[in-house]
Amino acid sequence: MNRTDWISLEKKVTEWIRDAGNKLRRSLSGSLDVHTKSAHNDLVTNMDKEIEQFLVQRIHKYYPGHQIISEEGFGDKPTDTEGILWLVDPIDGTINFVKQKCFFAISIGIYENGKGKAAYIYDVMNDGLFHCISGSGAYLNNKRLSPLKPVKVEDALIDLSSTWIKPNKRIDQDVLTDILLKCSGTRAYGAASIELAYVAAGLINAYFTMRLSPWDYGAGLILIHEVGGQTTRADGQPIDILSKSSILAAAPGLHQDMVRHIRSQVASGKFLREP
């Protein structure tokens, strides 16, 4: 696709995502049909499914040759990254949607032959659309985001769940202790797409997790790269956008420092396991 095609796509996606946001806001005034999936805190609602079907139907209608990976299973099952691939999360932060009625997002990341080309993360209740076409700058609504500047650990605000600093099966609970003792503070918001968008916007300086699915991180990685940030697995290795993965996304300098620290901890005998 050429630049004109991407601009045309952005107009369509922006309209779809705002329509979907309106549906979600209206749904909060009624009753939701809520079920659990893999665990008591892994929720799905009727609106997750409705919004995904709404988006997938439009993608298939206007871009029938494109492939889709989506959370609730209404997309496709691609086995490679050839062509154009959409990573779609209809509601990222479903627990927040159900319990808090805020801090949830619609996330769409679009890749061409494995390279990030366009990203859309819509913070529904704040009416904030983080978006970019690769090479043209990243934006929050109409405001262009500034390039990220290098950050030292001591000055950093780091986003991570408490899951990764207490006993768990993916990372030794003490791997990040020294980083957390040095940094300016920690945050956890419960919606990975927004948290990644916050890294791109410079509102937090790093985001760390040991397990995300492609629809969770697909758009956020593109946004962060557009403003000069860096993204890898926790061990510094490249991310496979078809697979569940750990994610370390951070401003320049800080990312390298965190990777070095994690690798040194693993070399000393602490464990780190990919999904």
Side-chain angles (χ1 to χ4, degrees):
M1 286 172 47
N2 59 37
R3 176 164 173 75
T4 301
D5 293 329
W6 287 108
I7 292 171
S8 174
L9 179 148
E10 179 161 272
K11 290 178 181 177
K12 291 184 179 71
V13 173
T14 299
E15 180 181 340
W16 301 341
I17 213 167
R18 290 193 179 277
D19 284 350
N22 288 334
K23 292 176 186 289
L24 289 175
R25 283 189 288 268
R26 288 195 299 268
S27 76
L28 291 173
S29 62
S31 60
L32 296 170
D33 185 11
V34 182
H35 298 276
T36 59
K37 294 196 286 188
S38 63
H40 74 280
N41 60 350
D42 184 12
L43 303 183
V44 62
T45 72
N46 56 305
M47 293 308 298
D48 291 82
K49 296 177 181 179
E50 181 179 325
I51 297 301
E52 183 165 305
Q53 286 178 304
F54 171 81
L55 294 170
V56 167
Q57 286 169 0
R58 277 151 185 77
I59 296 166
H60 278 158
K61 177 181 177 180
Y62 289 94
Y63 301 100
H66 296 186
Q67 296 284 301
I68 305 167
I69 296 178
S70 53
E71 181 168 16
E72 306 308 330
F74 295 104
D76 309 302
K77 299 187 184 301
T79 57
D80 58 48
T81 59
E82 259 188 59
I84 296 182
L85 177 65
W86 299 59
L87 304 180
V88 176
D89 195 341
I91 306 178
D92 180 36
T94 300
I95 287 182
N96 294 350
F97 173 64
V98 171
K99 295 183 177 294
Q100 297 181 303
K101 297 179 169 42
C102 65
F103 215 84
F104 57 89
I106 302 165
S107 179
I108 300 175
I110 309 172
Y111 289 73
E112 185 173 37
N113 297 322
K115 295 183 179 180
K117 299 297 291 187
Y120 307 90
I121 297 171
Y122 186 43
D123 181 350
V124 174
M125 300 309 288
N126 286 321
D127 192 27
L129 179 59
F130 297 86
H131 61 100
C132 75
I133 297 173
S134 180
S136 300
Y139 295 81
L140 170 54
N141 293 331
N142 295 320
K143 182 181 179 182
R144 185 163 181 157
L145 303 181
S146 300
L148 295 180
K149 297 178 180 178
V151 176
K152 296 179 180 178
V153 171
E154 291 79 3
D155 299 323
L157 193 60
I158 297 174
D159 186 308
L160 84 164
S161 167
S162 61
T163 299
W164 313 123
I165 53 175
K166 61 186 181 183
N168 70 91
K169 65 181 181 181
R170 303 215 174 272
I171 185 171
D172 189 297
Q173 67 190 72
D174 294 321
V175 165
L176 293 171
T177 298
D178 290 344
I179 292 281
L180 300 183
L181 288 172
K182 290 179 183 178
C183 74
S184 287
T186 61
R187 297 292 185 270
Y189 299 100
S193 61
I194 298 180
E195 291 164 299
L196 290 166
Y198 276 17
V199 174
L203 300 175
I204 55 178
N205 306 115
Y207 173 74
F208 177 91
T209 186
M210 283 303 300
R211 190 176 187 272
L212 282 186
S213 295
W215 49 79
D216 297 313
Y217 62 72
L221 302 191
I222 300 170
L223 277 173
I224 291 168
H225 293 166
E226 188 63 18
V227 293
Q230 296 173 305
T231 64
T232 61
R233 298 188 330 188
D235 60 4
Q237 295 300 309
I239 297 162
D240 174 6
I241 63 167
L242 295 178
S243 302
K244 291 179 180 177
S245 180
S246 64
I247 300 289
L248 173 57
L254 178 61
H255 183 274
Q256 291 94 320
D257 288 343
M258 290 184 69
V259 167
R260 278 195 294 269
H261 174 80
I262 291 167
R263 285 176 171 172
S264 71
Q265 293 291 297
V266 172
S268 74
K270 295 184 176 70
F271 72 88
L272 180 102
R273 302 187 185 106
E274 282 295 310

